[in-house]
Amino acid sequence: MDLPRSRTAPANTPDFSSRGKVIFIVSLFVVISILMESAIYLQANIFDGVRAYVRGEGLWAKAQKDAVLYLERYSYSHLESDFLAHQNSVQVTLGDRQARLALDENPPDEAAAYQGFLQGNNDPNDVGSMIWFFLNFQNVSYMRDAIAIWRSADHAIESLVATGRELRQEIVATGGRPERVAALRARLQVLNDELLQLENGFSTTLGEGARWVRAAVWTVSVAMLGVFVGIAIYVSHQIIRRIAKSERELIASESRFRSLKDSNTIGIVSWRMNGLIDEANDIFLDMIGYSRSDLTEKKIDWRKITPDEFRPRDAQAVEELALHGRCEPYEKAVTHKDGHLVPIYVGASLLDNDQEQGVAFIMDLSERKKSKEQLKLAATVFAASNDGILITDPAMRIVSANRALCGMTGYDEEELKGKTPKILQSGYTTAKQYQDMRHSLQENGHWQGDIVDRMKNGTLLPVRASISAVKDAAGQISHYVAILSDISERKAEEEQLRHLAHHDTLTGLPNRVLFNDRITQAIKHAARHRRRFAVLFFDLNDFKPVNDRYGHEVGDKLLQEVAARLSMNVRGADTVTRLGGDEFVILLDEISDRQSVDNVLKKTVDSICAPCRIDGHDITIGVSAGVSIYPDDGIDAPSLVHHADTAMYRSKKNKGRSREG
């Protein structure tokens, strides 16, 4: 037979489907990573907007309370400075209103909104986030509800401004008739209570919105990761099954080849493209009448012993070899040494990576090449995967681990072989989780979930694990394959987002959202165990002059110092909160009596009023404080906070440093 001078790649490349699946997994991973990064970036921007609005609400609430306080003080003092302070405070709330109205325009007037938010004493660095958040989320349910609450406060603010004008006219015109002034003071109290309820509603709605966004982003991220892991498990399962099958077929093929070469029934030859036969078994030599010495002396040429009439069929075989690297077995004849024709059934293939030599045999062994390529591809996937891959036998003894897993855990593959995955256990995964894992593997053949392993150096390693049982042709489990993805960064980012959502960025103290949750839990606990607790409300005196005189950087450091002093005066079970601006609240858990509360209050007030040195400046500030006791002063969070707030403002009005409640 005539053989080709060169060989081209087969038209149908072996294992293309496996390579395609691997490429698909990598592409899907890249897409999901981009989507998850985008989701985290969007979530960060949303929380930044929520944080800015919560801080702005604190400034708005502070200005509103100051407006009421100064107007009430004006009703007693008739001093023009008090009325001017009232008007300045009102301007802060009107600035936020101006910003909202500008953003409601079509198209939105962002320049006017920017000026309005600045008039509302908002940090210039927060204004951009506030405008972006309003424009993009004003129609989302939680933000829409919060804006509605904000709009409903307009009427109360207008009533507050009108009350101020009436009070001023009364004092200027008549000197302030007692019954008329008393009626206006009563109206002020009603307006103050109404605005306080709106402030709490606004903060609560924003907090619920932030929790909803976090839950939504988490759900989408887990869903995307679940899709990727599910596809990866399925494709890996198919590849591993194909590898196991190919290994068995390769071993069987090699065994058959050796048996055939040494057998007395099948002729096997090794040939060259130039016609020379290098090697042949005895049955082939006997078939054509040549001896072993003829073979050694290079006297056997397959081209010369092929009759002319069979060369067209050889040419067809050459085309098959060019396309596939092998030819289908076919009938032909060769010339015996004594001159007669010997009918034979021949098949041929080229040796791997060699265009000059091949083998001819009865059975088609082209599957051997395919098996080798499959094993090579699977080994490449196994070695190049960024995820850790661990393979065990049915007894859960480790038989192989890829480089990624060794890099993740710090173990060498040889240290892992023969051991069980218990070598990676950290103790943080419960026995119930392992029981569920074994049950799922037995019932469904796979399991996936988050666990915490331990590296060789003792460091904890949170991973997303996907485990599949691989079965052989008899349906028996031959291996377990585990794919481990390091999720340390994702866990850290989630923890950071949770912290930002519940803590003040300047002081690190719990914010209003976390405080509302803590006081709700405290009420439930106290009601269940018949205990008492206290709410201490603090408002710094003369804080604004510090900002005006030394700048906001010094003011921020002063707030951080106050937060530190507050924290030093309470127990670990108590909660210190910054509500916004210069207002702080302490939740004293499980108090014994009123005297113990007074002791903590006095110590805390003295601590805050003690001089402090910031950036070379000696600064002393005052503080007004109010107290409420559960259940004496209220049985729900708004009542307790309102009572403490009211007591604090009475203290501020009297310019005292001791508590009221």
Side-chain angles (χ1 to χ4, degrees):
M1 87 182 156
D2 292 329
L3 293 179
R5 295 290 175 184
S6 62
R7 176 170 54 140
T8 60
N12 297 320
T13 304
D15 290 341
F16 178 78
S17 60
S18 296
R19 273 201 303 274
K21 291 175 182 176
V22 172
I23 294 172
F24 175 73
I25 291 175
V26 173
S27 301
L28 183 63
F29 177 77
V30 171
V31 171
I32 290 179
S33 297
I34 293 174
L35 291 176
M36 292 182 68
E37 294 250 354
S38 300
I40 292 172
Y41 175 77
L42 177 61
Q43 187 180 33
N45 283 344
I46 291 173
F47 278 119
D48 190 48
V50 172
R51 177 197 59 76
Y53 271 100
V54 170
R55 182 176 184 275
E57 185 275 336
L59 296 171
W60 190 95
K62 175 68 168 56
Q64 174 265 313
K65 291 174 183 177
D66 285 344
V68 173
L69 173 66
Y70 286 121
L71 192 56
E72 186 177 6
R73 183 182 296 175
Y74 175 69
S75 71
Y76 289 102
S77 67
H78 298 181
L79 293 176
E80 197 65 24
S81 59
D82 287 337
F83 186 77
L84 181 60
H86 156 75
Q87 288 184 314
N88 289 337
S89 298
V90 168
Q91 288 303 312
V92 173
T93 64
L94 294 179
D96 288 337
R97 177 188 179 187
Q98 172 191 327
R100 191 195 70 234
L101 293 176
L103 293 176
D104 281 336
E105 294 180 7
N106 188 16
D109 189 345
E110 295 187 24
Y114 188 90
Q115 294 302 318
F117 280 130
L118 290 182
Q119 182 179 329
N121 284 344
N122 292 283
D123 191 312
N125 293 325
D126 289 340
V127 172
S129 296
M130 297 173 76
I131 293 175
W132 175 87
F133 189 79
F134 187 99
L135 294 177
N136 288 279
F137 292 91
Q138 59 181 319
N139 293 320
V140 176
S141 59
Y142 290 103
M143 186 60 181
R144 184 173 60 245
D145 294 343
I147 293 173
I149 295 172
W150 188 1
R151 289 194 180 100
S152 65
D154 289 351
H155 178 71
I157 292 297
E158 290 172 356
S159 297
L160 178 61
V161 173
T163 301
R165 286 198 300 266
E166 290 182 37
L167 180 60
R168 179 174 174 79
Q169 290 172 0
E170 176 66 23
I171 291 173
V172 171
T174 67
R177 290 171 293 180
E179 65 280 2
R180 179 58 178 162
V181 172
L184 292 173
R185 289 196 193 108
R187 188 194 300 173
L188 275 179
Q189 187 59 44
V190 171
L191 289 173
N192 189 55
D193 293 342
E194 178 183 349
L195 288 168
L196 178 61
Q197 292 180 359
L198 293 174
E199 294 161 12
N200 291 334
F202 185 84
S203 297
T204 301
T205 302
L206 280 183
E208 292 174 352
R211 287 190 291 273
W212 177 84
V213 169
R214 182 175 64 252
V217 173
W218 164 249
T219 301
V220 171
S221 299
V222 169
M224 290 190 295
L225 185 60
V227 170
F228 168 71
V229 171
I231 294 175
I233 290 174
Y234 174 77
V235 174
S236 300
H237 177 71
Q238 296 299 316
I239 291 175
I240 294 299
R241 289 191 63 181
R242 187 174 296 177
I243 290 173
K245 180 180 178 182
S246 298
E247 287 178 342
R248 293 192 299 271
E249 292 178 350
L250 178 60
I251 293 172
S253 296
E254 291 177 342
S255 177
R256 287 194 298 269
F257 182 82
R258 287 193 298 269
S259 298
L260 289 173
K261 186 177 184 298
D262 297 333
S263 72
N264 293 321
T265 57
I266 302 297
I268 304 295
V269 301
S270 173
W271 50 264
R272 289 182 178 272
M273 188 179 295
N274 60 10
L276 186 65
I277 294 179
D278 293 326
E279 184 59 70
N281 64 353
D282 290 339
I283 192 63
F284 177 75
L285 294 176
D286 292 340
M287 186 186 303
I288 62 174
Y290 286 83
S291 65
R292 180 67 56 182
S293 60
D294 293 330
L295 182 68
T296 303
E297 294 170 4
K298 312 296 183 183
K299 293 181 178 180
I300 306 176
D301 188 322
W302 59 265
R303 291 180 180 274
K304 294 179 179 179
I305 64 175
T306 298
D308 293 341
E309 62 268 28
F310 292 105
R311 291 185 179 178
R313 184 63 184 88
D314 284 348
Q316 182 180 341
V318 166
E319 293 178 0
E320 294 176 14
L321 287 165
L323 291 173
H324 309 294
R326 60 178 176 80
C327 68
E328 293 295 327
Y330 63 96
E331 292 185 2
K332 65 168 288 184
V334 293
T335 303
H336 193 275
K337 187 176 183 180
D338 63 11
H340 70 272
L341 298 179
V342 178
I344 61 173
Y345 189 67
V346 64
S349 67
L350 295 173
L351 295 178
D352 292 339
N353 302 318
D354 195 320
Q355 298 179 1
E356 296 295 329
Q357 299 182 71
V359 292
F361 44 86
I362 294 299
M363 297 186 65
D364 185 359
L365 298 180
S366 58
E367 288 298 318
R368 180 181 183 185
K369 179 176 182 293
K370 181 177 180 181
S371 297
K372 285 185 177 181
E373 290 182 356
Q374 285 181 322
L375 291 174
K376 186 184 297 183
L377 176 61
T380 300
V381 174
F382 184 80
S385 174
N386 290 327
D387 290 328
I389 301 177
L390 193 69
I391 302 177
T392 73
D393 62 17
M396 288 292 182
R397 290 185 296 269
I398 298 172
V399 298
S400 185
N402 69 346
R403 286 196 300 267
L405 186 131
C406 293
M408 288 166 56
T409 63
Y411 287 97
D412 293 328
E413 185 178 18
E414 294 303 319
E415 293 178 290
L416 295 172
K417 282 184 176 179
K419 297 182 175 61
T420 69
K422 289 183 178 180
I423 191 174
L424 302 176
Q425 290 182 5
S426 65
Y428 284 83
T429 304
T430 65
K432 177 65 166 53
Q433 287 178 285
Y434 285 120
Q435 182 180 352
D436 293 342
M437 180 191 303
R438 288 190 292 271
H439 177 76
S440 180
L441 286 173
Q442 291 172 359
E443 295 297 320
N444 307 315
H446 67 272
W447 176 88
Q448 65 180 27
D450 293 346
I451 59 176
V452 179
D453 281 342
R454 190 182 297 277
M455 299 170 60
K456 183 178 180 180
N457 62 9
T459 303
L460 295 178
L461 177 66
V463 296
R464 179 71 174 178
S466 301
I467 307 174
S468 295
V470 180
K471 296 182 179 180
D472 58 21
Q476 300 299 314
I477 294 177
S478 62
H479 297 87
Y480 289 101
V481 179
I483 300 176
L484 306 179
S485 302
D486 187 347
I487 58 174
S488 302
E489 293 184 2
R490 193 192 80 196
K491 291 291 186 182
E493 290 171 349
E494 291 170 359
E495 183 59 31
Q496 177 67 12
L497 289 173
R498 281 195 292 270
H499 182 83
L500 290 175
H502 293 91
H503 290 79
D504 176 55
T505 55
L506 177 63
T507 63
L509 295 176
N511 61 14
R512 188 186 295 270
V513 174
L514 184 54
F515 171 77
N516 288 335
D517 181 71
R518 294 275 177 87
I519 194 172
T520 300
Q521 295 302 319
I523 290 171
K524 292 179 180 178
H525 179 78
R528 185 181 306 116
H529 299 285
R530 299 182 181 276
R531 303 288 178 84
R532 306 171 75 205
F533 66 88
V535 176
L536 281 59
F537 202 110
F538 298 91
D539 185 273
L540 303 183
N541 298 332
D542 302 320
F543 176 73
K544 187 175 185 299
V546 173
N547 267 340
D548 295 340
R549 182 176 181 182
Y550 302 111
H552 287 283
E553 184 176 354
V554 171
D556 287 346
K557 291 181 179 179
L558 177 58
L559 290 175
Q560 291 170 344
E561 176 64 22
V562 170
R565 294 184 181 185
L566 287 170
S567 300
M568 287 190 300
N569 288 298
V570 297
R571 302 162 299 180
D574 301 326
T575 300
V576 180
T577 299
R578 182 187 178 208
L579 293 184
D582 57 359
E583 292 182 339
F584 298 83
V585 173
I586 295 178
L587 177 63
L588 291 179
D589 195 22
E590 294 192 11
I591 61 174
S592 57
D593 52 38
R594 182 57 180 261
Q595 184 59 45
S596 64
V597 177
D598 291 340
N599 292 340
V600 173
L601 181 61
K602 182 179 183 306
K603 182 171 62 172
T604 304
V605 169
D606 291 343
S607 174
I608 294 174
C609 294
C612 59
R613 188 171 182 82
I614 299 175
D615 292 348
H617 306 292
D618 293 319
I619 300 174
T620 302
I621 60 171
V623 64
S624 298
V627 178
S628 63
I629 305 292
Y630 174 90
D632 302 351
D633 301 318
I635 59 173
D636 56 41
S639 299
L640 291 168
V641 174
H642 175 66
H643 186 90
D645 185 33
T646 303
M648 180 274 294
Y649 268 90
R650 286 200 302 268
S651 174
K652 179 180 285 288
K653 182 172 63 177
N654 297 330
K655 297 185 177 179
R657 287 177 44 185
S658 61
R659 59 116 181 133
E660 288 196 15

